[in-house]
Amino acid sequence: MKITSQALALLSATLLNTSSAFTSVHRHRAISTTSSLKVTNDLFVEMTSETGAAAAAGTANTHSSVETYYGDTLKESADLLTNACCTAARPAPQIAQAISNIHPDVIKKYYGCGFCVPDEVEGMTILDLGCGAGRDVYIASQLVGEKGRVIGVDMTAEQLKVAKETQAYHADKFGFDNVEFHEGLIEKLDDIDSLTDGSVDIIISNCVINLCPDKEAVLKSCHRLLKPGGELYFSDVYASRRVPQELREDEVLWGECLSGALYWNDFQNLAKQCGFKDPRLVEDAPITIENKKVQDKIEEMGHKNLEFYSATYRLFQLDCLEPHCEDYGQAVIYKGTIPRFESGWSLDDHHFMEKGKVFPVCGNTYNMLKETRFEKHFDFVGDWSTHYGIFDGCGTSMPFKSSIDGVSTKGGGGGGGGACC
């Protein structure tokens, strides 16, 4: 993607006043705490109340900067400087059909990094965090059907204006109106009265959580809002190592979804602390920064080997999950009954289950299928009477397969049906 020096200067000027941005996380506790923590090169470091106050000011400035960038600076997808918020994988046929029904003004203002509505969602209630102009909301609207419901939340008034102005168009096109939109911060979902604990089946988000200074607040709210057995299914940007402070302070890189990216292992630890005990990677792809000035800036700061990935994760709200994959001698047999996946279906990037074949699984995978909406599609073998130790192949190395050979795993069959831009 090419960008003129004038456009780069405009973006820099737009975001010039943004303060240092950081990621706020702290140790998971059963009760709230007044201390705040941030991710640094030393991982979790407790901050004083004075520093917390300064952090609050920085957070407010970050919100303002992101709102200006996505509300005023970017007019359409082509205005992005890098490909971090764009995925080239071809959508599955049913998704392509759904996209063809969406108003062009909505499509034009799409800034996601993947497609993030999972399989088997008919009749479900879906919450879209950072819905923007509503592309994914209107895709999900068609997939959940007339008996389902889709709720979009975004902080940018300009984006929501497009979503709401085209709502009647989509209701006429689909034959029903099952969507609603709310303006607000996804870190403060408590402020939205219609969102109550345990009221949502599935939460989706598309390249937005990395823009939030307080990612812990987002994940905790998601865990609280989901019904037991529900899931957070989202695409976002991750880093191969912790993003250095000098890059996190760069406004252009933050707006382009790079500086706010979590180191993949910090994300997994944070997700577990917020109640999602076994995050599952669905698909991933390397991000190539196709803008020379942005790439040169990263290299001049001495971070040439810092790598970024676009990845889709699914996080189940199941208290019965264990911190690691444990072996109880269990197995599942896929019935071939999930629509469009009659021959086989993928739970994640390493669980593709062929129809009729006995497939050994760890206890967590067993529960992800047994205690969720997927139960009716499987037969289950075994119980919990004998523990055989850690499940073979359960490791903690970087999970992105694309980091090995540079080849995207996006666009495969099952587990959400691909990604698109």
Side-chain angles (χ1 to χ4, degrees):
M1 182 182 298
K2 295 182 178 180
I3 187 70
T4 64
S5 58
Q6 291 89 345
L8 187 60
L10 174 61
L11 176 59
S12 298
T14 300
L15 300 171
L16 184 60
N17 295 321
T18 302
S19 295
S20 170
F22 59 87
T23 303
S24 174
V25 295
H26 60 69
R27 291 181 172 84
H28 177 64
R29 296 172 182 166
I31 58 174
S32 62
T33 176
T34 57
S35 66
S36 62
L37 298 147
K38 70 174 182 178
V39 174
T40 68
N41 291 334
D42 296 320
L43 194 52
F44 304 140
V45 179
E46 188 162 1
M47 302 171 65
T48 64
S49 58
E50 180 179 356
T51 305
T59 296
N61 284 334
T62 299
H63 286 148
S64 177
S65 172
V66 171
E67 184 174 11
T68 299
Y69 188 28
Y70 284 89
D72 298 331
T73 305
L74 296 180
K75 301 303 181 184
E76 56 186 45
S77 304
D79 294 333
L80 289 163
L81 299 184
T82 73
N83 72 337
C85 291
C86 179
T87 305
R90 196 178 291 272
Q94 80 278 8
I95 302 306
Q97 178 60 45
I99 292 173
S100 71
N101 294 328
I102 296 176
H103 196 285
D105 289 350
V106 173
I107 298 296
K108 185 171 65 175
K109 295 184 75 66
Y110 166 67
Y111 307 114
C113 61
F115 176 73
C116 53
V117 178
D119 303 313
E120 196 68 3
V121 299
E122 185 175 356
M124 299 287 171
T125 295
I126 294 181
L127 170 63
D128 184 2
L129 301 182
C131 66
R135 192 205 73 153
D136 287 351
V137 167
Y138 288 122
I139 292 174
S141 169
Q142 298 172 74
L143 298 180
V144 301
E146 188 172 3
K147 295 182 179 180
R149 178 182 174 217
V150 186
I151 307 159
V153 177
D154 201 273
M155 65 180 287
T156 310
E158 290 81 359
Q159 293 266 61
L160 286 176
K161 183 173 183 289
V162 176
K164 293 178 179 179
E165 286 180 346
T166 59
Q167 191 167 345
Y169 169 90
H170 292 105
D172 181 66
K173 190 80 170 177
F174 304 161
F176 51 83
D177 184 6
N178 61 356
V179 306
E180 61 184 83
F181 295 96
H182 299 275
E183 184 175 348
L185 299 174
I186 65 173
E187 298 101 316
K188 297 184 178 181
L189 295 174
D190 287 345
D191 295 344
I192 301 174
D193 293 336
S194 63
L195 294 179
T196 57
D197 292 2
S199 63
V200 178
D201 295 295
I202 299 164
I203 298 176
I204 62 176
S205 186
N206 200 335
C207 203
V208 172
I209 295 177
N210 70 83
L211 295 171
C212 298
D214 193 353
K215 296 172 178 63
E216 180 183 27
V218 177
L219 293 180
K220 281 189 171 181
S221 291
C222 289
H223 190 271
R224 175 178 57 80
L225 293 172
L226 284 169
K227 299 176 183 178
E231 67 170 314
L232 168 59
Y233 189 100
F234 70 111
S235 296
D236 221 312
V237 178
Y238 300 91
S240 60
R241 57 186 70 176
R242 291 173 190 140
V243 178
Q245 181 67 29
E246 59 186 336
L247 293 184
R248 297 208 304 271
E249 293 174 352
D250 187 281
E251 296 86 356
V252 173
L253 296 179
W254 189 277
E256 287 289 318
C257 299
L258 297 176
S259 288
L262 271 180
Y263 164 50
W264 68 268
N265 203 29
D266 284 348
F267 158 71
Q268 293 200 357
N269 289 330
L270 179 60
K272 292 174 183 178
Q273 292 172 13
C274 293
F276 297 106
K277 298 178 183 177
D278 188 1
R280 292 296 179 91
L281 177 65
V282 177
E283 57 185 12
D284 64 272
I287 291 175
T288 56
I289 303 174
E290 297 174 359
N291 179 282
K292 189 175 186 303
K293 289 188 176 181
V294 174
Q295 184 65 54
D296 287 347
K297 177 181 289 188
I298 293 175
E299 293 184 8
E300 288 167 3
M301 291 181 177
H303 306 297
K304 180 180 180 179
N305 293 324
L306 177 63
E307 299 172 342
F308 295 96
Y309 297 88
S310 168
T312 300
Y313 275 92
R314 67 189 328 157
L315 280 57
F316 285 98
Q317 210 274 39
L318 289 171
D319 291 340
C320 57
L321 298 183
E322 299 185 83
H324 297 284
C325 298
E326 303 294 343
D327 188 352
Y328 294 91
Q330 298 160 317
V332 298
I333 304 172
Y334 176 52
K335 299 178 181 179
T337 50
I338 296 178
R340 302 180 307 278
F341 302 106
E342 290 77 13
S343 297
W345 179 79
S346 297
L347 172 68
D348 51 42
D349 73 334
H350 59 290
H351 288 89
F352 176 76
M353 293 156 280
E354 291 186 71
K355 176 185 176 181
K357 184 177 181 179
V358 177
F359 190 90
V361 294
C362 68
N364 281 354
T365 298
Y366 187 96
N367 278 326
M368 288 177 187
L369 301 173
K370 178 72 172 174
E371 304 298 329
T372 68
R373 66 190 187 278
F374 298 114
E375 179 184 12
K376 63 185 178 182
H377 300 293
F378 290 86
D379 289 322
F380 296 86
V381 180
D383 55 29
W384 303 90
S385 59
T386 304
H387 178 234
Y388 296 97
I390 199 75
F391 195 83
D392 186 40
C394 179
T396 56
S397 58
M398 187 162 72
F400 307 139
K401 291 182 179 179
S402 58
S403 68
I404 300 173
D405 53 19
V407 177
S408 170
T409 67
K410 292 195 172 187
C420 55
C421 177

